[in-house]
Structure formats: C-alpha cells, structure tokens
Amino acid sequence: MKIVHDPDVCTGHGRCYLLVPELFADDKFGHGFLSGSGVLAEEQMKAAQKAVDSCPERAISIVAD
C-alpha cells in the first residue's frame, strides 16, 4: 500500500504533519508533504489512515501500489 498526497488540493491546515510526523513534514508555507517514498509498511497503516481521516480537503489517500 502507498499513501498519496495531492499538493494541488492541500490548503495547509497542517493536521497531517502535526498528527502523523512519522509520514509527513511541513514546508515554509505550512503545507504538508510526504517525508518519504509513501510506500507503507504494515505497522504504518494505522498512522496513514489517521492522516487520511484528519485531512479536511481529502488531499491524502491510501492506494494499492
């Protein structure tokens, strides 16, 4: 599985990197971005789902890789 972040949809609420810093970081404008490749290990699935659920713009999704 892979987590995907759409920067064109992101408006910078910051929930992803505040709630799931192991998968996301922030840029100088406060927009989140993936801090790694996005490929998820089994133990990261719960954190990834937390990021998906917390994004008000639905800019984050989990897809099959």
Side-chain angles (χ1 to χ4, degrees), residues 6-20:
D6 185 344
D8 295 328
V9 176
C10 178
T11 61
H13 286 279
R15 293 178 183 168
C16 56
Y17 59 82
L18 291 173
L19 296 172
V20 191

Side-chain angles (χ1 to χ4, degrees), residues 4-35:
V4 178
H5 176 259
D6 185 344
D8 295 328
V9 176
C10 178
T11 61
H13 286 279
R15 293 178 183 168
C16 56
Y17 59 82
L18 291 173
L19 296 172
V20 191
E22 62 269 30
L23 296 176
F24 289 89
D26 63 317
D27 65 14
K28 64 182 180 179
F29 302 107
H31 292 94
F33 64 90
L34 289 168
S35 57

